[in-house]
Amino acid sequence: MRIAIGQLVSGTSPEENLAALTTQTERAAADGATVVVFPEAAMARFGIPLGPVAEPLDGPWATAVRRLAERTGVLLVAGMFTPAPGGRVRNTLLITGRGVDTHYDKLHLFDAFGFAESDTVAPGTRVVTAEADGVGLGFATCYDVRFPELFRRLADDGARVVLLPASWGAGPGKREQWELLVRARALDATCWVVACGQADPASVGEPPATSAPTGIGHSMVVSPLGEVRARLGAGPGLLVAELDPDEA
């Protein structure tokens, strides 16, 4: 399976972020990727009011992503925000293309280190797997990586590859924790883990949003034995990697 990671710095405009997704997806498809993974909050970054940008799964942003996946022939995974009751939103992965059309709402919300995601985001209620080209895929988002039981459940449900979009918070030791946790979850579940984070805003000269997790980069592809097989640095980039699901 040839999987692409599109590591980017999302801004506040869903339209501009969609244009960046389009460019990266077209490049990945031209390089032979059949799965393209973008970060959590690819639609719009954290640190802004999320209610005004949230759209339903049949809204214009999601519809444009579906058309992009269909046109390029890839399975595309991208983080967006969908409306939830009570004025909150859901932190949603849109999963579409190659015969798949589903979504995953983040189960574990990041209420830590002075940030309360649950103030504005409602948690999901279901574990999600899908199958593409005969390979079982599982889905998790960012803070979910701290919960090994989710990854073992995904493996029990048939996933051999877990796709993990994120917008990881910066801070002392956070890069080391990110790599440690991703590698540990691959070992827990004996699955590939493809972890796609938001790039570090500082890498493109932008200050990080105050107290909001806007990304540190360092996306990676980790084998079922916890080996980092491919990785990116802090800045935006496109990584295309081959992985063998039979290693799981």
Side-chain angles (χ1 to χ4, degrees):
M1 176 171 274
R2 196 162 173 82
I3 293 184
I5 289 174
Q7 181 172 284
L8 46 80
V9 177
S10 291
T12 60
S13 166
E15 294 77 17
E16 292 178 4
N17 296 330
L18 179 62
L21 261 68
T22 299
T23 299
Q24 293 278 52
T25 301
E26 290 172 346
R27 287 180 55 201
D31 201 13
T34 56
V35 177
V36 184
V37 187
F38 289 102
E40 176 188 26
M43 181 191 203
R45 69 166 174 80
F46 286 109
I48 63 170
L50 299 176
V53 300
E55 293 182 7
L57 286 163
D58 60 356
W61 200 87
T63 298
V65 172
R66 284 192 186 89
R67 289 173 177 165
L68 174 62
E70 182 178 3
R71 177 168 61 82
T72 55
V74 303
L75 174 70
L76 200 157
V77 180
M80 63 178 293
F81 299 104
T82 54
R88 293 194 290 178
V89 302
R90 285 197 169 89
N91 187 338
T92 299
L93 297 182
L94 176 62
I95 306 154
T96 186
R98 300 187 80 81
V100 176
D101 189 28
T102 188
H103 70 282
Y104 166 70
D105 296 325
K106 185 178 181 182
L107 287 171
H108 302 96
L109 302 182
F110 182 71
D111 288 1
F113 299 104
F115 187 79
E117 187 177 9
S118 63
D119 285 349
T120 56
V121 178
T125 59
R126 64 193 184 106
V127 175
V128 176
T129 58
E131 185 174 297
D133 302 326
V135 178
L137 304 174
F139 303 92
T141 303
C142 202
Y143 193 53
D144 283 335
V145 77
R146 292 187 180 271
F147 298 86
E149 60 271 25
L150 172 59
F151 287 73
R152 294 189 60 180
R153 166 70 182 275
L154 291 168
D156 287 343
D157 288 351
R160 287 187 284 167
V161 181
V162 177
L163 306 180
L164 174 69
S167 185
W168 199 252
K174 292 300 293 292
R175 176 185 167 186
E176 291 79 6
Q177 292 172 34
W178 166 244
E179 179 170 324
L180 176 64
L181 288 162
V182 173
R183 296 176 69 183
R185 297 299 80 83
L187 280 166
D188 290 335
T190 327
C191 282
W192 288 91
V193 177
V194 178
C196 176
Q198 288 275 349
D200 184 349
S203 68
V204 295
E206 296 181 7
T210 304
S211 79
T214 51
I216 63 168
H218 298 283
S219 300
M220 67 193 86
V221 177
V222 178
S223 80
L225 293 177
E227 308 155 316
V228 179
R229 296 282 182 88
R231 69 168 81 223
L232 290 168
L238 179 69
L239 172 65
V240 180
E242 292 274 0
L243 59 85
D244 181 1
D246 288 340
E247 288 191 42

